[in-house]
Amino acid sequence: CGTVVHVFDLKREKDNSCDATTHYALAYEDVLIRSAALLDRLPKLSSGVEYDDPIIETKLALLLDTGRLYFIDLIVDDDGNMEDQGENYIEVGAGVSFPTAGIRRYQGVEPATKSSSSTTLGEGAHLSYLRQSNLLLYQCMSSCVVAFILDDDGSIISNFEILPNMIPAADLGGSYAVVGPYHHFEELGIVERGGESFYRFTCVGKSTRTSSQPVLILVEFNKSDVFVRELDWPTVTGLGIMSSYSYVGSCAYSCPHLVGGRGASDG
């Protein structure tokens, strides 16, 4: 919801029903939650090390409409139950300060200088977590998509610009550009090319040819390079995504590749 996060503990599921055990509500109603992302399980639980304090299993990242970030620690006790129960009020304050060195806040401006930091890049738009590469993607309206690099505690230690607010037509090899904010991020694993490994994901932006036409783009990146192109759909699928003005979502899954068949030779 716009002012509260409901947490459901699936361990308390009974008869295919599960009630919320914890509620995190904003202390003030003059700000709204624009987006949220659950980080992957932090390595402390699986490290085999004994801790005297409660163990932080994961974090929930909140993006407010002000563009500020706030993290909630989801803590479990020795029995594996959530420590927080019932209603909890959170004071977002100034939010989390994050590095902005090398980030262009708006299209066409100079990148921020070394050691620069900020608590917001504008009006909050979307937050997404890429589990395979352990990146938290942060974007504000009319701003680029910033990839935050996280450490083992789920804290931001570095960043880089992974997508500009507008991808030029020349970079896509087409006749129109694609603009954000981007949404429907979907990870596609890792691909090797030229002896290098790249993480892959897809997301949806909008064509500059018409402001309401969705465009699905494919992004490949590693620590040195980022490559972007429009995703090509086989004409035999009849998906017709480029003629559609409504995009609900997508999913990716893997399946075994069967080689051979009844007519295949043995060996």
Side-chain angles (χ1 to χ4, degrees):
C1 302
T3 58
V4 63
V5 175
H6 304 285
V7 179
F8 296 83
D9 188 352
L10 297 182
K11 290 183 62 177
R12 299 176 180 270
E13 179 271 336
K14 185 177 181 180
D15 298 329
N16 296 321
S17 177
C18 183
D19 296 326
T21 58
T22 310
H23 310 270
Y24 295 100
L26 297 180
Y28 305 101
E29 296 183 355
D30 57 342
V31 292
L32 296 174
I33 300 171
R34 186 60 58 84
S35 184
L38 186 66
L39 305 189
D40 197 13
R41 173 177 294 196
L42 302 179
K44 289 184 178 180
L45 272 183
S46 57
S47 63
V49 179
E50 296 293 334
Y51 291 89
D52 295 330
D53 297 329
I55 303 172
I56 299 175
E57 182 181 18
T58 188
K59 288 187 177 185
L60 180 66
L62 302 181
L63 175 63
L64 307 182
D65 58 354
T66 58
R68 299 185 187 277
L69 273 174
Y70 185 82
F71 288 95
I72 298 175
D73 294 332
L74 299 184
I75 303 175
V76 296
D77 59 21
D78 293 337
D79 297 324
N81 298 313
M82 288 193 60
E83 184 180 75
D84 289 339
Q85 299 289 327
E87 194 87 4
N88 296 272
Y89 289 93
I90 54 179
E91 299 273 356
V92 295
V96 175
S97 178
F98 50 82
T100 58
I103 300 301
R104 295 171 296 173
R105 181 173 294 214
Y106 302 107
Q107 195 77 21
V109 302
E110 292 296 323
T113 58
K114 186 178 180 180
S115 301
S116 297
S117 64
S118 180
T119 57
T120 178
L121 294 182
E123 180 185 350
H126 187 74
L127 201 63
S128 186
Y129 176 68
L130 300 183
R131 178 179 178 272
Q132 295 168 352
S133 54
N134 193 34
L135 295 178
L136 181 65
L137 304 186
Y138 165 94
Q139 60 180 318
C140 291
M141 302 296 292
S142 303
S143 184
C144 64
V145 180
V146 181
F148 290 132
I149 302 173
L150 308 176
D151 63 11
D152 288 345
D153 293 323
S155 300
I156 299 172
I157 57 175
S158 186
N159 70 280
F160 62 95
E161 179 182 317
I162 196 167
L163 282 176
N165 179 61
M166 184 179 70
I167 306 173
D171 292 351
L172 296 172
S175 58
Y176 51 85
V178 174
V179 296
Y182 307 95
H183 52 92
H184 290 97
F185 289 84
E186 188 69 45
E187 294 183 274
L188 298 178
I190 300 175
V191 63
E192 291 190 7
R193 184 179 295 108
E196 292 186 278
S197 296
F198 294 85
Y199 292 101
R200 308 175 88 182
F201 68 85
T202 59
C203 62
V204 177
K206 291 184 178 181
S207 167
T208 55
R209 183 170 54 187
T210 168
S211 60
S212 58
Q213 187 174 23
V215 178
L216 190 62
I217 59 175
L218 175 68
V219 181
E220 298 179 352
F221 69 95
N222 60 14
K223 63 180 181 180
S224 304
D225 298 293
V226 178
F227 300 99
V228 182
R229 64 181 174 86
E230 184 177 351
L231 190 64
D232 296 325
W233 291 95
T235 56
V236 295
T237 62
L239 291 175
I241 188 172
M242 291 311 297
S243 61
S244 173
Y245 290 86
S246 177
Y247 189 91
V248 176
S250 63
C251 66
Y253 61 91
S254 61
C255 61
H257 178 64
L258 302 180
V259 179
R262 293 182 179 178
S265 60
D266 295 336

